[in-house]
Each structure stands twice: as C-alpha cells, then as structure tokens.
Amino acid sequence: MPLEPNGPGELGFVEALMKRGFINIPRMLFDYTSDLGLDYPEIGMIFAVLACIGGPGENAFGSYTVTRRNLPRDFDQVRDLVVELEKLMITRCDKVTDNEITFSFGPLFARLRAVWSEYREAYEKEMASRGPHPAVGLAEKLLSRPLSTQEVRTILDWVEELGFTVEMVEAVLREGIRTGVTRIKYLDSIATQWAQAGLQTPEQVAAYLEEHQKTEARYRKATQALGIKRPLTAAEQAMMERWYGEWGFDDDVILQACEQAAGAKNPLQYTNKVLESWLQEGIRTTADLDRLLAQKRRTAAAGLEPGRAARGGRKGSGQSNVILKREKKDDSYYDVVFKRFGE
C-alpha cells in the first residue's frame, strides 16, 4: 500500500494497519538483520508470510502447515512466498501441493546459530587476549583452586548481567566461605538474591547481612522456646515475619506468647492465635502486656469482692439460715407421751 501522493496517505495507511491487525515478529529479524544478510525485499516476504499465518507459533523452530481450506484467500500467496524463500535459504518446504504446504524457518535459524557461534568465538578470543578478568583471578585465589569454564562464565555473568564490581564478587565469595558452601550454584543464588534486593556495594551487603543475622537469631529464640527443632517452612517463616514486621511485637512479647504455646499440638499456630488476641487488645511491648495482665488481675479481684459482699449482706439482712428452735416442753409433757405409748 503506497503512501502519498499516489497512495492513501499516512492516516489511511494507519487505518488499514489497524484493520489488518498486528503480528508477532521474531526479535532476531531486528537484532541480526545485517548479520543474517537479509535485505528489505526478503524481510518483506517473511513479514507477509507471518501476517497470513498469524505470526510465529509457540515453537518458532517447528513446522507450519497451511491448507487452502484454512486459508482460502491467501493460500496461493503464502505458498509462492514460501517456495521463493526456500530458494533464498530462509525456509524449508517439507510438503508442497496444490492444497497444502508444510514448511519451517529451519535454514534461517541455522544461519542465526552460525552467527551466534561467530560472535562467541570472537568474544572468547578477545577475552583470552585480555587475560582473565580480575574477578576470576580473585575467585581462584579465594577458593584456592582453578575454576571450570562454567564457573568462570557464572562469575562473569555477575559482572556483565548483574552489574557487580570486583568488590561485590569478593563479597559473594566470602559469604560462601563463611557459610562453608562454595559450590557455584550456591554462590550464584547468593549473587542473584543480592541483586534482587538491590545490593550493589559491600557496605549495603554488610548492612543486609547484619539485619538478616538478627532475624535469624529472633527465629532461633522463638523456635527454641516452642521446642521446634526442624527447619521452618516458607509459610511458617512468613507467619513469623508478620509477628516482627507487620504486627510490630517486641521480641520479649513474642517469647512470652511462645511460652504459653509450648507443648501445644501446633505451637506455631497457637502462638499466632495468642498474638492475634494481643494485637486486638493493643499490645505491642512488654510494658503493654504488663499493663494488660495487671488490669486483668484487678478486674478479677474486683469481681471476687462484690460476691463476698453480697453473701455477707444476706446474713445481715435480718433473715437467718439457722432453724428456729421450738419451745421446750416440761417433763410432765414427756411423761404423758411415754405413758401413752407404753399403754
């Protein structure tokens, strides 16, 4: 669709594009166009094929099957374009008939893999000419062993992908040495976690580790008070984080709640229920808890005294629980009674 002066103009072109819809274009066609040796006519042919078949499938490396029944209006155009692209070593036709065509972009991806290999080879040569990266040399020194190719690649990813300085790489390695685990996967998990936390300097790392160690100490005290010796699950850790963070309880308050829950069937859930009740009563600190307990003691004492007063009041009201004594009879009365029963 040509633009002005012979075409519909920019507005008409945009309207036509919107009506036609959009298609997904493989990013490689933009990133590696010149490296793949693609010219504008070839790119246009690829776009036209993708537009007709609805864009690349879930697996761009797989095959596409187009039939005249499924694509009656554009089948001939797609078939001709695919056959032409095969001549240019961009597509491969596995089946071509008057009513069906099966093809893939295998040759194009093969060219792309060759380009990637050339780039990798050139990169490795450049790195070899420069000598080992300072971070790699530092890692070999701290770990006291030569690094494998995979380990070197991982450490370089920290520098290139995560933006770590040599000092940050050293911090990762020393943290692994401190914990006694220097496997590259474990070290990589540390580096990834720090990057996700936004840590970029050793000072930030030191503050982060200090806070992390404080948190671990808190959890350890609570689990010891509850008699839990197994590792906590992720859900249990999240529950405990809520006690300290979202709910804002003092450490001593949590420990007192743990003491009440010790021996329960599910001590963590029991502790959570205790803290929930305290939260509703406005308890946050040990001083708050002491005030609450003192208030309950006073309330209990006040509730006991009125009961005693009420019982005492009944005694002093003029009504007695003692059985009234009958008037004593004289001896002659009993003589008469005995004689009567004796007769």
Side-chain angles (χ1 to χ4, degrees), residues 1-17:
M1 180 182 294
L3 298 178
E4 289 182 323
N6 298 321
E10 292 182 4
L11 180 59
F13 180 82
V14 171
E15 289 177 346
L17 179 63

Side-chain angles (χ1 to χ4, degrees), residues 174-175 178-179 194 205-221 251:
R174 291 194 180 279
E175 177 62 14
R178 183 187 70 82
T179 58
W194 289 359
V205 169
Y208 175 84
L209 291 178
E210 182 180 0
E211 185 63 28
H212 183 69
Q213 290 169 2
K214 288 180 180 178
T215 302
E216 284 187 339
R218 284 175 170 177
Y219 292 174
R220 189 162 49 251
K221 287 182 179 179
D251 293 1

Side-chain angles (χ1 to χ4, degrees), residues 219 232-244 246:
Y219 292 174
L232 297 178
T233 66
E236 290 171 339
Q237 290 181 7
M239 181 191 301
M240 295 185 71
E241 288 176 2
R242 187 165 60 248
W243 300 347
Y244 294 99
E246 180 182 343

Side-chain angles (χ1 to χ4, degrees), residues 95-160:
K95 180 179 180 181
V96 180
T97 67
D98 291 339
N99 297 309
E100 182 179 338
I101 180 171
T102 301
F103 69 97
S104 70
F105 288 96
L108 182 62
F109 285 113
R111 290 162 62 178
L112 180 61
R113 282 192 290 268
V115 170
W116 285 342
S117 297
E118 292 176 1
Y119 272 112
R120 171 57 61 185
E121 184 179 354
Y123 174 79
E124 291 177 351
K125 287 182 179 179
E126 181 181 357
M127 294 301 296
S129 64
R130 293 181 179 179
H133 193 280
V136 174
L138 176 65
E140 291 181 338
K141 180 179 179 181
L142 290 177
L143 300 178
S144 301
R145 59 178 173 80
L147 301 182
S148 67
T149 303
Q150 179 60 38
E151 289 174 326
V152 171
R153 182 66 263 167
T154 300
I155 292 175
L156 292 179
D157 284 343
W158 301 347
V159 176
E160 298 168 4

Side-chain angles (χ1 to χ4, degrees), residues 71 85 107 160 190 270 282 332 336:
L71 202 67
L85 289 171
E160 298 168 4
I190 294 176
Y270 193 100
S332 61
V336 175

